[in-house]
Amino acid sequence: MNKLVIDGVKLISDAYDSVPVFTGADGHQINGLYGAFYKMKELLSSGTYDGFDISFSEQAPCTESVKWQITRFSELLSAINGMTVPGESSVTPDVLAALEETLKGLSPSGKVVETPKFKHSMTITSDLNEVEEIFKKASGASTVSYYFITEKEGKDKSDIKALGLALCFDEASAVYIPVVNFITTAYLGQKLSELSGGSSLVTFDIKESYRFFTPAEITDRVSGYDAGDMSFADKPRCFDVLIGAYLNNPLKNDYEPWDISTEYLGIPMARKADVFGKELLSSSAEEKVADYACKIAYISFASAPPIRAKLAKTGMEKLFYNVEMPLSYILYAMEKEGIITRRDALKDYGDKLLVRIEELEKAIYGASGCTFNINSPKQLGEVLFEKLGLPAEKKTKSGYSTAAEVLEKLAPQHKIVADILEYRGLTKLKSTYADGLAAFIEKDDRIHTSFNQTITATGRISSTEPNLQNIPMRTELGRLIRKVFVPKDGYVFADADYSQIELRILAHMSGDQGLISAYHEGDDIHAITASKVFHVPFSEVTPLQRRNAKAVNFGIVYGISSFGLSQDLSISVGEAKDYMEKYFETYPGVRSYQDRAIQDAKDKGYSETLFGRRRPIPELKSGNYNLKQFGERVAMNAPIQGTAADIMKIAMINVYFRIKRENLKSRLILQIHDELVIETAPDEVEKVSEILVEEMEKAVTLAVPMEVDCHTGSDWYEAK
DNA sequence: TCGTGTTGCAA
DNA sequence: TATTGCAACACGA
């Protein structure tokens, strides 16, 4: 009996270092995995062993790629019949054959395919004369990619330091210029600004580089969006590969350099965490930092052409150059501006909430006869449905549902329920808003949110750290939080929002004459709809009829089902069905639009906005009923939500450059999907209100008018 | 410490 | 069994 002892981790690590790098069909680097199988097969087929024992030692710190290979190794082995992982197995002809098969599966040709590798050479220089020479040479290139490698060095968002700049302007080389001595970020920024006048600048995540320089196309610009502008075809323009990759496929979770490199160049690249782990870049070897930065510059340089080609092929070049690229600068400017947030007022608000929260806590413990964590759905469920014996309705994956919707139905049965609901509402306001927002107020007394341009599937922008797009509005108590957001001394807020932009887009895209004329008839679209649907004169529409019509109007935009509508209105499915039937009789074009939207998306595999933005909908091809239904709702909604996003982006460009053109002091600071907020100078209030309404309304011309409401006030509560 | 589930805020 | 997001908290691996 001769047994081979195998340590899977060591086997892979050894192979990882000795086998040429190559990747599998899914883009994963699999050299270690392949090598491990190869070596195992060789050893076991030698006839020396009749059994083997596989184990996996404690994993020493290793790269993500190696970790992945270890996991996959274990999975593939486990799938082999007669194999125990970890544990002992015997060497049988079946096992040997299976190993051979697995090996072939990893590399179908039976050969090791060498993965493309970075071929650029790298130089590092901090000599001012040499750097001058480099920029001189770069200015002769039509395309230059750059990447600032940065590090956070303080609490505030502005506390960011550039360690160096990587440049790449040919396929063969890249250069890294550390920020040191005469080579300051201001110097590098100046050089890039100059360069941007004559060369196309390419980078990854351009919004993050605007803090160092402003490209010529922004510096010189004072005009708004021009649908017919094709000047990107022959004039040098900035190109952000991140935004390009997002437009090409907005469904991905992230678009790291690693990812772009694999997808567009086929070159695997270690992720930032794999290269640096938790070490500070400023204390890492300069060579390592330079190598990483240069790879990003190289990837940007090399992937820009295929990314652009794909944009051109799918008709999204104009969307990219005329909307997304200029927008990226506006988002940067808004983030930099920030919004003044009154620390003291927020603290007072939180303190007041706390008083009531503690009262409620006592009342809840008293009524339940025990103390427990009210914030834990698990514990709350046990108290309500087991200890107190309230009827449990909905179950979630992990137990009873204690969602507000469920508790509201339970409220009449026990006085504790109303207290729990109030407690939930108040703790939400305290933790997410009072305390949550306070943590983001920076040294300048402002909150600087991050606007993310490459997150949503539909083309909307999102806001994080903190999210300023979900500040309470619906309840008075919550809405009061808006009073802590104020303009600077003497200034006011001007807040403009589109009136029912999505429904208007539906009217336009469906071409339904009834819906279109409803918008020309008057401003209360829900009442008009109720009047038409229920066949009553406009003046006799009851509040209930209006409410129902409004719910259907909203639901239609989301691709509602009769079940969904019944839930929303707390009516029977039959009644909901009836409402929808009547709605479609009133606006037959809406139904045919929805059918068309679904069919189109099924045929093409994606949905499209008025401005050509695409959203792939792979769910439509799914065999899973629920998934397919979801795909159909997405197909109905995405063109509408996406078109609204496009229109708002165009409006932002028009507003921003108009303010610049007219040399105003007022500044755009927030976007909340259909709403813009401007911190407005006192002598510019009328002008700014006029600009907002005018530019937002004329951003696009549809079959129905765009209506914009604008309010001003001395805080966000007042202005809304 | 990190990922997942539940809950709830906005358009 | 309504679209798109972000975030707090609990809890278990």
Side-chain angles (χ1 to χ4, degrees), chain A residues 54-233:
Chain A
I54 299 171
S55 65
F56 293 88
S57 58
E58 271 308 301
Q59 290 187 23
C62 55
T63 65
E64 285 300 315
S65 180
V66 171
K67 275 187 205 157
W68 181 87
Q69 291 175 40
I70 293 168
T71 311
R72 191 82 188 106
F73 183 59
S74 167
E75 280 171 13
L76 288 170
L77 284 178
S78 304
I80 295 173
N81 256 340
M83 189 84 86
T84 315
V85 186
E88 293 184 29
S89 315
S90 350
V91 179
T92 63
D94 282 352
V95 165
L96 290 177
L99 282 176
E100 180 73 45
E101 274 310 298
T102 309
L103 201 51
K104 270 191 194 153
L106 286 171
S107 176
S109 63
K111 287 184 296 193
V112 172
V113 182
E114 204 166 334
T115 304
K117 270 188 256 178
F118 290 111
K119 294 203 174 83
H120 64 275
S121 62
M122 179 182 81
T123 51
I124 301 178
T125 178
S126 51
D127 180 283
L128 189 56
N129 290 324
E130 279 180 36
V131 172
E132 284 284 328
E133 273 308 304
I134 288 161
F135 276 107
K136 204 180 224 174
K137 235 168 107 187
S139 66
S142 64
T143 302
V144 179
S145 77
Y146 69 92
Y147 183 74
F148 279 103
I149 184 101
T150 60
E151 181 155 79
K152 202 162 185 263
E153 57 166 14
K155 269 182 78 179
D156 289 4
K157 286 200 171 144
S158 52
D159 297 337
I160 283 187
K161 188 188 165 202
L163 299 174
L165 174 72
L167 288 177
C168 172
F169 42 95
D170 61 54
E171 288 272 349
S173 64
V175 55
Y176 181 74
I177 306 166
V179 172
V180 61
N181 300 330
F182 293 109
I183 319 249
T184 60
T185 43
Y187 167 83
L188 293 171
Q190 176 61 33
K191 286 290 169 189
L192 283 174
S193 280
E194 288 165 12
L195 205 53
S196 70
S199 305
S200 291
L201 291 192
V202 172
T203 191
F204 171 84
D205 200 358
I206 195 166
K207 182 157 68 72
E208 287 309 306
S209 69
Y210 289 137
R211 72 176 77 245
F212 302 116
F213 82 105
T214 308
E217 68 205 61
I218 299 292
T219 309
D220 299 343
R221 180 169 177 168
V222 289
S223 62
Y225 169 79
D226 172 3
D229 184 6
M230 293 292 286
S231 60
F232 55 80

Side-chain angles (χ1 to χ4, degrees), chain A residues 691-710:
Chain A
I691 288 175
L692 276 170
V693 173
E694 203 174 297
E695 298 300 341
M696 286 169 76
E697 286 186 348
K698 72 157 216 217
V700 67
T701 304
L702 302 183
V704 293
M706 288 281 104
E707 194 187 306
V708 171
D709 300 312
C710 183

Side-chain angles (χ1 to χ4, degrees), chain A residues 526-527 529-531 533-552 569 579:
Chain A
H526 304 309
T529 299
S531 158
V533 167
F534 300 116
H535 306 292
V536 294
F538 180 81
S539 59
E540 287 169 32
V541 171
T542 66
L544 179 67
Q545 286 173 324
R546 185 182 182 280
R547 193 164 64 90
N548 290 340
K550 184 177 176 181
V552 181
L569 289 176
Y579 283 164

Side-chain angles (χ1 to χ4, degrees), chain A residues 242-477:
Chain A
L242 170 61
I243 295 173
Y246 163 73
L247 278 189
N248 281 335
N249 178 8
L251 297 186
K252 299 176 72 162
N253 286 323
D254 41 55
Y255 303 86
E256 286 173 62
W258 172 85
D259 201 78
I260 290 176
S261 182
T262 307
E263 178 164 347
Y264 290 96
L265 306 175
I267 304 177
M269 175 200 172
R271 283 176 264 201
K272 192 176 178 190
D274 292 342
V275 180
F276 300 103
K278 280 177 186 147
E279 68 185 358
L280 289 173
L281 294 188
S282 51
S283 35
S284 300
E286 186 174 80
E287 175 102 10
K288 214 164 119 181
V289 174
D291 178 64
Y292 182 72
C294 283
K295 276 177 179 159
I296 296 179
Y298 174 82
I299 289 165
S300 305
F301 184 84
S303 67
I307 289 174
R308 180 172 180 178
K310 192 164 175 186
L311 290 169
K313 195 178 153 197
T314 56
M316 290 197 287
E317 239 184 341
K318 282 213 269 187
L319 186 65
F320 176 87
Y321 280 111
N322 296 346
V323 178
E324 300 292 349
M325 287 306 299
L327 181 74
S328 68
Y329 189 83
I330 296 169
L331 297 179
Y332 156 76
M334 290 164 67
E335 289 178 5
K336 188 178 168 197
E337 205 64 41
I339 181 166
I340 298 173
T341 310
R342 295 163 57 210
R343 232 182 283 260
D344 300 349
L346 208 48
K347 175 84 167 61
D348 290 347
Y349 181 83
D351 289 344
K352 280 181 192 134
L353 291 176
L354 189 59
V355 173
R356 181 67 183 143
I357 287 170
E358 285 172 345
E359 275 174 26
L360 288 165
E361 218 169 65
K362 272 186 202 139
I364 292 165
Y365 294 153
S368 64
C370 62
T371 57
F372 62 100
N373 187 345
I374 310 168
N375 290 321
S376 162
K378 184 165 168 268
Q379 294 180 39
L380 180 61
E382 281 162 15
V383 169
L384 290 178
F385 305 116
E386 288 170 19
K387 193 151 189 295
L388 299 180
L390 291 168
E393 245 194 35
K394 210 166 75 180
K395 293 273 258 176
T396 62
K397 279 180 197 170
S398 39
Y400 310 107
S401 170
T402 66
E405 171 196 327
V406 175
L407 297 188
E408 272 154 23
K409 288 180 192 150
L410 257 39
Q413 304 195 43
H414 202 293
K415 68 177 165 79
I416 197 177
V417 179
D419 286 344
I420 291 169
L421 283 167
E422 191 185 352
Y423 175 91
R424 277 259 180 86
L426 299 189
T427 51
K428 172 84 179 181
L429 290 175
K430 179 140 196 338
S431 63
T432 304
Y433 299 104
D435 299 346
L437 290 172
F440 286 100
I441 303 175
E442 301 193 1
K443 287 193 283 286
D444 58 357
D445 290 333
R446 286 171 182 257
I447 287 181
H448 300 265
T449 186
S450 295
F451 287 111
N452 311 298
Q453 202 178 349
T454 58
I455 298 287
T456 71
T458 52
R460 278 184 172 187
I461 59 180
S462 79
S463 156
T464 52
E465 294 182 306
N467 180 359
L468 290 184
Q469 292 179 321
N470 73 341
I471 303 303
M473 179 68 186
R474 284 164 202 187
T475 69
E476 181 57 22
L477 182 61

